[in-house]
Amino acid sequence: MSYSDLVREAFIDPIRSVLIIDDEYPTWNKILGDQGDNKQHAKWLTNKDRIRRMVQAFKNRKPNMIVDMHDGVSAQACNDDLKLVPTEENDQFEQLAAHLYHSDMLVLDYQLDGAEGGGDKAIEIARQMLENPHYNLIAVHTAIEDLAEPFEQMLIGLLHEEKSFPDPLVARGQRIYERLISSWKEEEDEDAIEDFNRELEQLIGIQQFLYCYKHSSSNKMDMGTINRSGLFSPFEVWAKSKGLSEENEPFHFAVFALKRWQDKLAPKFSRSPHDALDWCDQRHEDGVFWIRSDRGFIAFAKKSQADDLVKVLQDAIEQWKPTPSRLISTRLRAELDRQGVSVEDDLLSKRQVFRKFFEHLKEQKSEADKRATLSDQINRYHEGLLDRSNAPVVDFGMRLLAADQNGENLLSHYGVFSKEECEASECHYNSYISSKPATGTYLTSGHIFTITKKTNQPPEYWVCVSPACDMVPGQRKVGLEPGSADENGNTAKAFMAVRLEGGFGQEQLNADQVNSNEFVFLEDRGEILVRSIYGKLGEENADRAKQPHWRLFMAKNAGNFDQVDGKKVRTLELSWVSSTHRDLEIKSLQAEVKWQLRYEYALNLNQKLGSNLTRVGLEFISS
């Protein structure tokens, strides 16, 4: 089985419904007798053979796809922000919105206002598609022969954050620009200045701006970086002909020109972010035009050349080269959707079990306890669904492996090639298999939290090592005799935690140390933090470096997390006893729970602390 077959199985085969939005297409109301707008109806009659071929291409697939059509009229009901809104005169908005939400694939005409119209409506529809929680597959088809135009405008409409061009570089480029046009300014020769600006925009245009937006970063920019594709070579020749011969002058001038494009295009940017935005511009990259985000994928096709848009979509996805891991994840999502009802029925057939679950849920007194119980049971429910959907996805993974062994070289799709990146990938892998972002509604074993004692000091990292069963709110009272309860019946929760020491770098650890079960790897905004329950070894602290630093904490509200500003920020109030040279004092701070060790790794630290606390203190003497 080839890579193409596997892409089809993961992305294309699950498509069951298609919505076509095109002002040349009729709605079902028009087909069934409600003719509506005669002009729109005439478009349909003029192009009905092409429309029939398009629809038939979807219906001839196995399994057959359900096809719906919309003429895009409801897209005319827009507010000032180009958001689709319902109106009293036009009740088709709700119909279109429902289709956008439920369709597996969208065929979108770029010019919904006709051949003379622009793409604003299509861009807004694409934005809304890429903002809903489903993964959306979109094929943009257009009568425009040069696909670069709809590709550029669609991409600009999906950009969100402005590119950060360093102000000093822009200022230097501005001074160069003023110097070059100074003589024309003195002579008030507006035509010469306009010709110069036009020349500059032809050499550094939207294509160059989009390339730099994608490939360069503000802290690592130079002429070599932005000209890796050769897009700026004509500009460099032109800049030298204008007398820009000093070091970095062409680069500073280029940054100024790019910033001008940013300012010009910024009003067209999306008001909402589209994460993981990526694209292929076939004018300087191998492949075809496509755009993707974390919520969907967009392919582009000419109406004159594409009757089978499913194939266009699949070809574009193959050009994107989704990794084996993404293919497996997509296949799993499709499998859960395909057989979800049957595995759900099998799972829920144990009526006594789930009766007891609901009875246990009703017994909880506080809202926090109810949420905690629900969270635990839903995790078990998810595990049951995945167990029952596992086998077909494993078979798919085996076929992926066979394709790679037959020469597909799927490892290259991850885009990790350099020695440094390959070495860093080990650290990221260790983080992925041992820890994850914190989950749940209350503190439990394996949760890693940070506390900051003083404003100018770095935070301390601690990991909860009390048994998970002891951490369930409202259940066992351990560690200290419980005090008075709050209005929800909750008392403070006592628990043990071990401090995670820093000062370690992945490059400093050899294979034996990494596998010593003494280190944890945490991902923090793309960087990997290496921490250990033991201090850094050295001549001065060798004796105490192997002794974990532990502490008994008290968590308010039974360890239930606070919700900060309605966001899922997991914080809780902690107290502990601190000693001075004369007395004891109670200290309190807010802790933020950021990570969670996976079960076996949390259990490992629990056992290491237990072995340390049960030392008998043997005394040997060496001569």
Side-chain angles (χ1 to χ4, degrees), residues 566-578:
K567 299 178 182 178
K568 294 181 179 179
V569 177
R570 291 174 170 82
T571 60
L572 69 164
E573 196 76 18
L574 298 182
S575 299
W576 66 95
V577 177
S578 178

Side-chain angles (χ1 to χ4, degrees), residues 311-323:
K311 185 177 186 307
V312 170
L313 182 64
Q314 180 176 339
D315 289 345
I317 293 175
E318 289 179 31
Q319 293 285 333
W320 163 36
K321 295 183 178 180
T323 65

Side-chain angles (χ1 to χ4, degrees), residues 286-554:
D286 292 334
V288 296
F289 289 118
W290 54 258
I291 303 171
R292 71 162 294 269
S293 77
D294 61 332
R295 299 288 182 90
F297 187 91
I298 304 175
F300 294 83
K302 301 176 187 177
K303 287 185 178 181
S304 60
Q305 296 179 348
D307 287 335
D308 189 353
L309 288 178
V310 175
K311 185 177 186 307
V312 170
L313 182 64
Q314 180 176 339
D315 289 345
I317 293 175
E318 289 179 31
Q319 293 285 333
W320 163 36
K321 295 183 178 180
T323 65
S325 304
R326 187 177 295 278
L327 288 173
I328 290 172
S329 176
T330 304
R331 182 65 180 83
L332 173 61
R333 177 159 38 88
E335 188 63 28
L336 287 171
D337 184 62
R338 185 183 72 83
Q339 60 166 335
V341 175
S342 60
V343 299
E344 180 185 64
D345 192 64
D346 178 44
L347 184 66
L348 297 178
S349 63
K350 298 177 174 58
R351 298 168 65 88
Q352 299 93 330
V353 171
F354 288 94
R355 179 193 179 280
K356 191 62 183 177
F357 153 63
F358 196 68
E359 181 183 7
H360 179 54
L361 178 62
K362 290 174 62 176
E363 291 171 353
Q364 306 307 307
K365 303 299 182 185
S366 69
E367 180 178 350
D369 290 347
K370 292 174 183 176
R371 287 184 176 277
T373 302
L374 276 168
S375 179
D376 289 343
Q377 292 296 339
I378 290 172
N379 285 338
R380 292 184 175 88
Y381 179 71
H382 282 165
E383 184 179 354
L385 287 176
L386 290 173
D387 287 344
R388 288 161 173 78
S389 305
N390 187 284
V393 184
V394 170
D395 291 341
F396 178 81
M398 294 300 292
R399 294 196 296 276
L400 262 174
L401 187 60
D404 179 76
Q405 293 171 342
N406 288 334
E408 294 282 3
N409 190 21
L410 301 184
L411 194 63
S412 65
H413 291 196
Y414 289 95
V416 178
F417 301 108
S418 70
K419 179 181 178 182
E420 292 77 12
E421 287 179 315
C422 292
E423 290 175 350
S425 67
E426 295 180 1
C427 204
H428 283 269
Y429 178 81
N430 290 337
S431 169
Y432 178 78
I433 64 171
S434 63
S435 64
K436 61 180 181 178
T439 60
T441 61
Y442 61 88
L443 185 70
T444 191
S445 182
H447 269 145
I448 297 174
F449 57 90
T450 61
I451 55 176
T452 303
K453 294 182 177 180
K454 292 183 180 180
T455 305
N456 297 326
Q457 289 183 346
E460 292 183 359
Y461 292 72
W462 294 79
V463 56
C464 174
V465 291
S466 288
C469 57
D470 292 346
M471 298 302 297
V472 179
Q475 291 195 18
R476 298 181 63 187
K477 309 295 190 298
V478 295
L480 293 174
E481 183 177 348
S484 59
D486 61 17
E487 63 275 10
N488 293 319
N490 289 322
T491 60
K493 173 70 69 175
F495 69 97
M496 296 277 287
V498 177
R499 189 168 67 194
L500 295 175
E501 309 290 351
F504 305 96
Q506 171 75 4
E507 67 283 353
Q508 299 171 322
L509 305 179
N510 57 39
D512 290 336
Q513 290 172 318
V514 169
N515 290 293
S516 65
N517 299 328
E518 296 180 2
F519 297 93
V520 296
F521 301 83
L522 310 173
E523 182 175 1
D524 185 20
R525 290 169 291 188
E527 298 295 326
I528 302 299
L529 307 177
V530 183
R531 293 289 187 271
S532 173
I533 63 172
Y534 303 118
K536 198 171 183 180
L537 291 175
E539 293 182 1
E540 297 181 358
N541 62 352
D543 291 336
R544 56 190 177 89
K546 280 292 185 179
Q547 306 305 318
H549 183 95
W550 60 270
R551 181 180 291 164
L552 179 67
F553 285 95
M554 298 294 291

Side-chain angles (χ1 to χ4, degrees), residues 111 113-118:
Q111 294 173 296
D113 276 338
E116 303 302 321

Side-chain angles (χ1 to χ4, degrees), residues 40-229:
Q40 294 288 333
H41 189 53
K43 286 185 179 182
W44 164 46
L45 293 176
T46 302
N47 298 289
K48 64 180 182 179
D49 289 339
R50 181 170 59 82
I51 293 172
R52 185 184 296 112
R53 289 197 307 273
M54 175 80 73
V55 172
Q56 202 61 42
F58 291 117
K59 289 188 171 293
N60 287 342
R61 288 193 164 266
K62 302 294 183 182
N64 293 343
M65 297 178 181
I66 300 171
V67 181
D68 200 355
M69 295 177 292
H70 200 283
D71 58 15
V73 171
S74 59
Q76 295 172 4
C78 297
N79 60 20
D80 292 338
D81 293 330
L82 284 177
K83 291 290 185 181
L84 301 181
V85 294
T87 64
E88 293 181 1
E89 297 81 11
N90 187 354
D91 61 358
Q92 294 184 10
F93 167 77
E94 293 183 2
Q95 178 193 35
L96 177 58
H99 288 322
L100 290 176
Y101 189 79
H102 291 294
S103 298
D104 297 327
M105 177 179 173
L106 175 66
V107 176
L108 181 60
D109 177 27
Y110 180 71
Q111 294 173 296
L112 287 174
D113 276 338
E116 303 302 321
D120 288 347
K121 293 176 184 176
I123 291 169
E124 180 55 31
I125 290 174
R127 282 175 181 158
Q128 294 193 40
M129 284 286 285
L130 298 183
E131 289 171 14
N132 77 44
H134 296 281
Y135 195 82
N136 302 280
L137 299 173
I138 305 173
V140 173
H141 69 157
T142 177
I144 299 174
E145 284 300 307
D146 184 4
L147 289 179
E149 178 185 338
F151 164 78
E152 279 185 349
Q153 296 305 313
M154 187 73 71
L155 177 55
I156 291 168
L158 295 174
L159 300 180
H160 175 61
E161 295 181 356
E162 295 183 359
K163 191 71 178 176
S164 177
F165 294 108
D167 290 338
L169 298 185
V170 176
R172 290 172 201 155
Q174 174 78 34
R175 289 193 293 270
I176 294 171
Y177 174 77
E178 295 294 340
R179 187 183 78 209
L180 291 174
I181 67 170
S182 59
S183 61
W184 298 320
K185 267 191 171 182
E186 291 174 2
E187 299 170 1
E188 297 184 354
D189 190 347
E190 296 296 334
D191 290 340
I193 295 176
E194 186 176 336
D195 290 342
F196 180 82
N197 287 332
R198 188 182 301 111
E199 238 183 308
L200 180 59
E201 286 195 355
Q202 289 173 347
L203 292 164
I204 296 183
I206 295 178
Q207 192 176 353
Q208 283 78 9
F209 170 77
L210 292 175
Y211 182 86
C212 285
Y213 192 103
K214 178 179 180 180
H215 292 286
S216 63
S217 60
S218 60
N219 60 354
K220 188 180 180 182
M221 290 183 66
D222 54 40
M223 203 69 216
T225 302
I226 67 174
N227 196 30
R228 281 176 297 189
S229 67

